[in-house]
Amino acid sequence: GGIITQTPKFLIGQEGQKLTLKCQQNFNHDTMYWYRQDSGKGLRLIYYSITENDLQKGDLSEGYDASREKKSSFSLTVTSAQKNEMAVFLCASSIPGQGGAEQFFGPGTRLTVL
Amino acid sequence: QQQVRQSPQSLTVWEGETAILNCSYENSAFDYFPWYQQFPGEGPALLISILSVSDKKEDGRFTIFFNKREKKLSLHIADSQPGDSATYFCAAGGSWQLIFGSGTQLTVMP
């Protein structure tokens, strides 16, 4: 088995601040994802990375940057935190393949912007 | 816009009843349909999944019924238990990406 670790678990920021969220996985999966989850809504894809040094934008990429430093780690940066923003950011990893691939999720980073 | 829709938004059943969660999608190119279960404070975890070549998938108390022509699927949870109380997400996609629905919050009353 493996595990996905997200740090920090809770993140409190100020309006306009640049904030970085980190994700590590030891599944040895090629593909990693960042999702945003708002209360009462589904998961929306921000960025994904098919393999090391690859970056692909999701539907919600505006306002975010991402970095795939190595196979096991994937970082997300909120470029300018928005006042009163509250959301959970979920990292996931998978082995891509025909017919779909299971995505394994981390526990999330809960962001609050004051 | 690719969309996945779920209903109801919330569902309450009694212990022992069958809970039925519904999902529909728009893109006929989708071929992989997982259901994820999420407890408060945790990330989603895969519960059961189905490929578009099948019309039914069973795993213990959990069954997916899939209607490709109508682009609809449903998750049936038989003999519901209080421990099944969670949010359930339907998703649709292929090898690289999944599109998630907004979830159904299930409460099982003892």
Side-chain angles (χ1 to χ4, degrees), chain A residues 9 31 33 35 37 40-45 48 50 57-59 90 94-108 110, chain B residues 1-2 9 31-34 36 38-47 50-51 87 89 93-103:
Chain A
K9 185 165 182 155
T31 305
Y33 307 80
Y35 291 92
Q37 184 175 26
K41 296 185 179 179
L43 283 65
R44 291 182 288 172
L45 184 64
Y48 67 106
I50 296 173
K57 291 184 178 182
D59 290 339
L90 293 164
S94 74
I95 300 174
Q98 289 299 317
E102 178 180 357
Q103 293 187 17
F104 294 84
F105 285 84
R110 283 148 184 78
Chain B
Q1 179 77 11
Q2 299 173 337
Q9 189 172 357
D31 61 2
Y32 172 61
F33 303 89
Y36 280 83
Q38 185 179 32
F39 294 105
E42 299 180 8
L46 180 68
L47 183 65
I50 193 167
L51 297 176
T87 300
F89 291 99
S95 300
W96 305 107
Q97 285 194 52
L98 291 175
I99 308 297
F100 285 82
S102 57

Side-chain angles (χ1 to χ4, degrees), chain A residues 79-101:
Chain A
T79 56
S80 179
Q82 301 298 305
K83 188 174 177 62
N84 297 323
E85 182 175 6
M86 285 182 65
V88 176
F89 291 85
L90 293 164
C91 176
S93 71
S94 74
I95 300 174
Q98 289 299 317

Side-chain angles (χ1 to χ4, degrees), chain A residues 23-41:
Chain A
C23 177
Q24 295 266 350
Q25 55 99 357
N26 63 0
F27 287 102
N28 199 34
H29 286 165
D30 290 311
T31 305
M32 296 185 73
Y33 307 80
W34 276 107
Y35 291 92
R36 175 181 166 127
Q37 184 175 26
D38 293 275
S39 179
K41 296 185 179 179

Side-chain angles (χ1 to χ4, degrees), chain B residues 34-99:
Chain B
W35 284 84
Y36 280 83
Q37 180 188 54
Q38 185 179 32
F39 294 105
E42 299 180 8
L46 180 68
L47 183 65
I48 185 172
S49 64
I50 193 167
L51 297 176
S52 60
V53 295
S54 302
D55 57 14
K56 181 181 177 182
K57 176 80 172 289
E58 223 170 324
D59 185 358
R61 296 185 295 109
F62 302 94
T63 303
I64 299 174
F65 293 93
F66 180 70
N67 185 324
K68 187 172 183 176
R69 183 179 61 83
E70 295 187 6
K71 297 181 191 170
K72 291 182 178 179
L73 59 158
S74 60
L75 174 67
H76 291 226
I77 305 175
D79 188 24
S80 296
Q81 301 297 309
D84 295 330
S85 297
T87 300
Y88 293 80
F89 291 99
C90 170
S95 300
W96 305 107
Q97 285 194 52
L98 291 175
I99 308 297

